[in-house]
């Protein structure tokens, strides 16, 4: 008499999973598309670099994202991450925020199109964080689940949308965008 918990498979081909009992795995199937909007802005940026090297006017949307939101209690990135239980990544967060901020200033000071690219990307990061990641934070989900959501809903889609990536933004820069927005009170890590 065979044990009820054993399965024997012989001379078979399996396309996909072979599960002997309950399958509790989760699979994300996501397709990321590049925006033609960014492609157009990249072209404008290249033209502006060639024709208007003295352009230094900061657009109002980028100025807003680059400044702290007015609220009763303004605390820095360090205190926000500590309050959210993320003190272990504080050094990384500070370095990535600074790295991104330098690229932001370098790319944005001479071009309206570059400012629009940065506003578009920062807005996408902010939206992804507040709509997907912040929901997990409010539901007291695990740090691992929150980190996976950051990767799934922010890092990968933004990387895919960067297209030719004229500004050479990498995953560290995208994390820097999160910390930049955190430091300026546009996103938060606590309820």
């Amino acid at each position: 008499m065979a044990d009820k918990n054993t399965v024997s498979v012989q001379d078979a081909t399996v396309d996909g999973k072979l599960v002997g009992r309950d399958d509790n795995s989760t699979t994300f199937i996501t397709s990321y598309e590049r925006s033609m909007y960014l492609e157009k802005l990249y072209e404008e940026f290249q033209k502006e670099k060639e024709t208007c090297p003295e352009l230094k006017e900061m657009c109002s949307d980028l100025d807003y994202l680059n400044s702290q939101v007015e609220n009763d209690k303004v605390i820095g990135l360090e205190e926000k991450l500590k309050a959210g239980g993320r003190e272990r990544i504080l050094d990384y967060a500070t370095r990535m925020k600074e790295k991104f901020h330098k690229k932001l200033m370098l790319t944005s000071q001479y071009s309206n199109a570059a400012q629009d690219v940065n506003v578009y990307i920062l807005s996408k990061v902010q939206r992804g964080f507040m709509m997907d990641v912040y929901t997990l934070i409010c539901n007291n989900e695990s740090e691992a689940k929150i980190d996976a959501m950051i990767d799934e809903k922010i890092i990968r889609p933004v990387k895919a949308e960067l297209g030719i990536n004229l500004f050479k933004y990498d995953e560290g820069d995208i994390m820097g965008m999160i910390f930049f927005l955190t430091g300026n009170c546009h996103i938060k890590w606590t309820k």
Side-chain angles (χ1 to χ4, degrees), residues 14-139:
V14 176
D15 290 334
K17 290 185 194 178
L18 175 62
V19 179
R21 186 137 182 215
D22 297 338
D23 181 7
N24 295 320
S25 64
T26 303
T27 303
F28 292 104
I29 300 173
T30 308
S31 173
Y32 303 112
E33 296 179 19
R34 282 196 319 222
S35 168
M36 293 311 295
Y37 176 71
L38 278 183
E39 296 296 327
K40 182 180 170 218
L41 289 173
Y42 285 147
E43 288 173 17
E44 284 182 41
F45 173 63
Q46 288 288 52
K47 289 177 190 171
E48 286 177 349
K49 272 189 358 184
E50 295 165 7
T51 59
C52 306
E54 69 283 347
L55 180 65
K56 292 185 181 181
E57 183 180 313
M58 189 74 72
C59 77
S60 61
D61 287 339
L62 187 55
D63 187 46
Y64 170 75
L65 292 170
N66 196 32
S67 59
Q68 288 191 341
V69 173
E70 296 288 328
N71 60 26
D72 294 338
K73 187 177 180 184
V74 176
I75 59 174
L77 175 64
E78 180 177 352
E79 292 303 315
K80 290 174 185 166
L81 290 177
K82 283 181 180 177
R86 295 292 181 128
E87 52 276 329
R88 68 175 178 74
I89 63 168
L90 188 56
D91 289 338
Y92 171 75
T94 303
R95 285 193 320 274
M96 293 303 100
K97 176 188 171 199
E98 185 63 28
K99 179 182 176 227
F100 166 71
H101 190 251
K102 285 179 181 178
K103 280 187 176 181
L104 174 68
M105 292 295 99
L106 183 65
T107 58
S108 295
Q109 67 181 335
Y110 297 110
S111 167
N112 286 328
Q115 291 175 31
D116 289 343
V117 168
N118 282 307
V119 167
Y120 180 84
I121 295 168
L122 283 166
S123 296
K124 191 168 198 63
V125 168
Q126 181 184 28
R127 185 232 152 274
F129 194 94
M130 294 308 297
M131 298 305 291
D132 298 311
V133 177
Y134 189 62
T135 300
L136 296 180
I137 291 169
C138 290
N139 290 333

Side-chain angles (χ1 to χ4, degrees), residues 6-10:
T6 61
V7 175
S8 176
V9 178
Q10 298 173 344

Side-chain angles (χ1 to χ4, degrees), residues 31-35 39 154-164 174:
S31 173
Y32 303 112
E33 296 179 19
R34 282 196 319 222
S35 168
E39 296 296 327
I154 299 173
I155 303 294
R156 287 198 262 160
V158 169
K159 270 184 67 176
E161 190 148 12
L162 285 171
I164 61 172
I174 299 168

